[in-house]
């Protein structure tokens, strides 16, 4: 097997309407309450305030970001991820991309609020949640938000660890916030994401993440797009 065939590339794109069905599949596997397709469509209709992204896997390098999404080029970190992980390939082979996670945020004046983030259970523990969170932070930075906030179930220690790693700290509690089981929500918030200290830490973490994703890609025994499809969509292929 050639080295190139063994690599899985992870990258981020803006969520578009045709992604919703797959996003909902991951959501069903990740949360006990779900948004309807219409809710997602409405979220996507207001891109100035609502930013939604998907994480994708591919067995071959995707074309440069601006060729895939000409209207969304130049969004700092996302472009960086591509250039760091993938190099600046101008080839456009016959590629299939598979959505492995997604995330979203609302922006309002100087605050951005993470509404959702999830990774397909098959792909968890490989740095993709962290990649998505970085994508969301970059979206927040691009709107000049100063703070990032979110709510997370008190019992969701895994997600809390991810947020703590990226400078979120507990800020308060919403009692019986989750309607399915009456669980409390922990409110978490960053300090200023525009501050020098936050950005220095962010870039340090990103450096480590790039290295981890390179390693994950090199270690993944995938030979072809069909192999990824089989892992990602067992009921369909
Ligand atoms: C939370 C979630 C998005 C993390 O995605 P992931 O791809 O598995 O996470 P990553 O591999 O990128 O790990 C990033 C960090 O998350 C934390 N983390 C991930 N898995 C963990 C685990 N099993 N135990 C503790 N912490 C964990 C760690 O801080 C980790 O950093 P580290 O590797 O340096 O320790 C994923 O578990 C998920 O989709 N959960 C269900 C949906 C959900 O709960 N979303 C959050 C709603 S608020």
């Amino acid at each position: 097997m050639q080295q190139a065939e063994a690599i899985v590339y992870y990258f981020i794109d803006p969520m578009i309407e045709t992604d919703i069905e797959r996003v909902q599949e991951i959501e069903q596997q990740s949360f006990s309450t779900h948004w309807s397709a219409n809710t997602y469509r409405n979220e996507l209709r207001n891109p100035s305030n609502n930013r939604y992204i998907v994480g994708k896997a591919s067995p071959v390098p995707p074309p440069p970001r601006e060729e895939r999404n000409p209207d969304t080029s130049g969004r700092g970190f996302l472009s960086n991820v591509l250039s760091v992980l993938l190099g600046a390939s101008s080839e456009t082979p016959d590629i299939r991309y598979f959505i492995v996670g997604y995330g979203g945020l609302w922006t309002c004046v100087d605050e951005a609020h993470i509404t959702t983030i999830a990774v397909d259970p098959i792909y968890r523990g490989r740095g993709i949640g962290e990649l998505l969170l970085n994508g969301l932070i970059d979206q927040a930075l691009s709107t000049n938000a100063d703070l990032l906030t979110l709510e997370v179930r008190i019992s969701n220690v895994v997600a809390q660890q991810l947020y703590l790693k990226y400078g979120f700290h507990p800020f308060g509690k919403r009692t019986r916030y989750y309607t399915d089981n009456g669980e409390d929500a922990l409110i978490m918030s960053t300090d200023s994401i525009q501050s020098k200290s936050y950005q220095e830490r962010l870039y340090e973490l990103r450096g480590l993440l790039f290295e981890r994703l390179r390693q994950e890609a090199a270690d993944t025994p995938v030979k072809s797009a069909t192999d990824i499809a089989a892992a990602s969509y067992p009921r369909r292929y």
Side-chain angles (χ1 to χ4, degrees), residues 26 55 69-70 75-76 81 83 109 122 124 133 146 148 175 179 192 196-197 206 214 224:
I26 298 173
N69 300 92
R75 287 192 183 164
V81 168
S83 59
V109 197
I122 293 172
R124 286 184 195 159
L133 182 59
D146 194 41
L148 259 172
T175 307
T179 49
S192 173
K196 189 164 176 271
S197 58
R206 285 177 181 182
R214 273 195 207 97
S224 66

Side-chain angles (χ1 to χ4, degrees), residues 85-137:
L85 286 180
L86 311 173
S89 166
S90 59
E91 307 254 317
T92 311
D94 181 22
I95 301 169
R96 298 187 62 180
Y97 308 129
F98 303 97
I99 294 175
V100 293
Y102 65 94
L105 56 74
W106 293 330
T107 62
C108 183
V109 197
D110 62 350
E111 190 175 317
H113 184 81
I114 293 182
T115 55
T116 187
I117 181 169
V119 173
D120 180 329
I122 293 172
Y123 285 88
R124 286 184 195 159
R126 302 183 188 188
I128 298 166
E130 208 175 319
L131 180 68
L132 286 164
L133 182 59
N134 270 280
L136 293 175
I137 293 170

Side-chain angles (χ1 to χ4, degrees), residues 111-114 147-156 159-160 163-164 167-178 183-191:
E111 190 175 317
H113 184 81
I114 293 182
L147 295 180
L148 259 172
T149 60
L150 55 82
E151 282 110 11
V152 55
R153 285 178 191 262
I154 292 280
S155 63
N156 193 347
Q160 287 169 32
Y163 303 140
L164 285 168
F168 289 79
H169 47 80
F171 188 70
K173 199 170 79 171
R174 295 196 203 285
T175 307
R176 300 184 64 77
Y177 181 73
Y178 295 99
E183 188 172 351
D184 294 347
L186 183 67
I187 307 168
M188 298 184 84
S189 171
T190 59
D191 294 327

